[in-house]
Amino acid sequence: ETQVWRVDPNAPDLEHTPQIQAAAEKLVQGEIVAFPTETVYGLGGNAKLQDSVRKIYEAKGRPSDNPLIVHVANLEQVREICTEIHPVAQKLIHAFWPGPLTLVLPSRGTVSNAVTAGLSTVAIRMPSHPVARAVISASNLPIAAPSANRSGRPSPTQAEHVFHDLDGRIAGILDGGETGVGVESTVVDCTTTPITILRPGGITKEQLIEVVGPVSDDPGLVRSDQAPKAPGMKYKHYAPSATMYLVPAGESRIRELISSEKAKGRRVGVLTTEEKQGGYPDADVLLVCGRRSEPSTVAHHLFDVLRHFDQKKVDVIFSETFDQKGIGKAVMNRLSKAAGGRILD
Ligand code: TXA
Ligand code: MG
């Protein structure tokens, strides 16, 4: 009973197409629908309506202490949701919105308590994807939207991923094709001085520094004895069903690991890149995740590749690692979560 509406993101006057209107109508009725953003697919509901927000948590199987991002189409909606947009936040908005940046701001209390999980702050983002913008505008509502995956699974970058996880649990899916960035937005806490990165993502630390100067990283991101400030960052996430290991030492170490695991009768998968894919002739399943010379292509393919390993029924996965520069920081953050922090020297 989950409807799928195909939509061409480049169609003229998207907001008034029957598909967008149908999806917006569901949102207005309090139902929940998935739609593409430039990062990953989101699962949206009316942020002001507790009942809609509850449906989101329920469909995902998401712990209720993990707050959601409110998606908006214009700045007027932002002013309705937070108490103030101070100069640093304004600079970020000017530089990066619409786009893959989420700002944590003091909440005015106008969205449901369920959205903020009782916090005094609220996370807000203005997506740039034409389908996301059209459906938010057509509904004329602030839309609470976490990634449209079952909790713990890799985030969806294609409508098929959403369908696989949530068919029968949500009213509909706007299928606008593959998303672009491939990893989620950068979450920045604007209530601290300097601002703090709570989750690395589509906008890089380097880009933020260029606009606002110094930027700190949430200690919870780098130290395992510190609770992360973004509640969602503490959960196991993105994990394929096989046990995954990151192998910073690279190809020859991965080749050794392949033979020792195969000797134990295990089916071995390797996450590699175009440049290195010839290096593992004995792997049972070899999946190529973009080009390391272009880190944005690694981000773009990452979640689809993680999902593919499940279909290939491997027992263990060894993954190459990436430089923590630019978008590489978000890629390594998601990979280490997928690997549950397992790193082999
Ligand atoms: O790219 C994205 O951000 C995607 C697309 C759909 O927009 N959405 C997304 O939402 O990734 P979600 O719910 O999967 O991740 C939201 C993150 C979580 O880590 C959550 O804990 C954090 O943002 N967050 C939300 N509100 C917060 C707040 N008030 N303070 C600190 N962290 C917050
Ligand atoms: Mg998520």
Side-chain angles (χ1 to χ4, degrees):
E1 4 125 316
T2 296
Q3 289 188 49
V4 178
W5 302 284
R6 284 259 163 99
V7 48
D8 172 4
N10 302 311
D13 199 17
L14 206 49
E15 190 178 327
H16 297 100
T17 59
Q19 302 95 307
I20 296 285
Q21 289 290 315
E25 195 179 323
K26 292 285 184 199
L27 290 169
V28 169
Q29 291 164 353
E31 296 301 319
I32 57 175
V33 300
F35 56 85
T37 81
E38 69 278 20
T39 56
V40 300
Y41 273 75
L43 175 58
N46 180 354
K48 295 199 272 196
L49 195 65
Q50 164 140 312
D51 188 49
S52 297
V53 180
R54 284 238 180 87
K55 285 180 187 167
I56 294 174
Y57 282 95
E58 209 172 278
K60 281 182 61 91
R62 180 175 175 118
S64 60
D65 69 343
N66 187 6
L68 310 179
I69 297 170
V70 181
H71 293 62
V72 297
N74 56 58
L75 287 177
E76 201 180 312
Q77 287 183 309
V78 181
R79 286 185 215 106
E80 277 171 26
I81 296 167
C82 65
T83 56
E84 56 151 338
I85 309 175
H86 60 72
V88 176
Q90 273 174 23
K91 275 191 188 173
L92 292 173
I93 288 173
H94 184 74
F96 300 115
W97 276 8
L101 179 69
T102 294
L103 304 180
V104 172
L105 297 165
S107 172
R108 193 184 278 283
T110 49
V111 295
S112 162
N113 270 329
V115 170
T116 54
L119 297 174
S120 61
T121 54
V122 58
I124 310 178
R125 130 169 159 85
M126 189 187 291
S128 63
H129 195 290
V131 173
R133 292 174 68 76
V135 74
I136 299 166
S137 293
S139 72
N140 198 25
L141 291 168
I143 299 296
S147 49
N149 50 281
R150 287 302 293 265
S151 206
R153 301 262 303 142
S155 298
T157 55
Q158 302 173 19
E160 291 73 21
H161 299 162
V162 181
F163 193 81
H164 178 274
D165 279 14
L166 298 174
D167 178 30
R169 306 178 71 90
I170 64 178
I173 303 171
L174 277 165
D175 179 354
E178 260 186 77
T179 63
V181 180
V183 293
E184 301 90 335
S185 64
T186 303
V187 179
V188 168
D189 186 351
C190 295
T191 69
T192 61
T193 312
I195 58 166
T196 310
I197 296 177
L198 304 184
R199 178 179 73 181
I203 297 292
T204 67
K205 185 175 184 177
E206 294 87 336
Q207 285 176 293
L208 294 172
I209 290 172
E210 220 171 279
V211 172
V212 300
V215 171
S216 44
D217 286 303
D218 180 20
L221 280 178
V222 275
R223 286 172 47 184
S224 53
D225 60 337
Q226 287 268 334
K229 195 164 171 189
M233 298 300 283
K234 71 173 178 280
Y235 291 106
K236 183 175 142 101
H237 211 159
Y238 313 115
S241 35
T243 311
M244 180 161 154
Y245 298 91
L246 306 188
V247 190
E251 290 142 284
S252 59
R253 181 75 183 114
I254 292 179
R255 278 196 293 273
E256 284 170 24
L257 290 161
I258 295 171
S259 24
S260 71
E261 287 300 308
K262 286 188 70 158
K264 292 179 217 157
R266 300 213 176 102
R267 207 170 132 77
V268 183
V270 173
L271 187 154
T272 183
T273 43
E274 281 185 26
E275 289 91 337
K276 294 183 185 278
Q277 60 180 311
Y280 317 100
D282 294 334
D284 294 302
V285 174
L286 191 62
L287 296 183
V288 175
C289 191
R291 290 177 298 282
R292 42 184 62 247
S293 59
E294 272 176 87
S296 65
T297 64
V298 179
H300 176 80
H301 288 104
L302 182 64
F303 290 142
D304 184 47
V305 164
L306 291 177
R307 281 176 177 262
H308 258 100
F309 276 119
D310 284 349
Q311 291 170 21
K312 304 278 186 186
K313 307 241 176 295
V314 292
D315 301 306
V316 55
I317 302 163
F318 298 115
S319 174
E320 294 175 5
T321 61
F322 299 89
D323 286 342
Q324 305 241 13
K325 277 190 310 216
I327 193 86
K329 199 148 183 179
V331 167
M332 282 304 291
N333 172 269
R334 306 309 189 269
L335 268 177
S336 34
K337 281 177 175 290
R342 281 178 290 263
I343 297 175
L344 290 179
D345 298 317

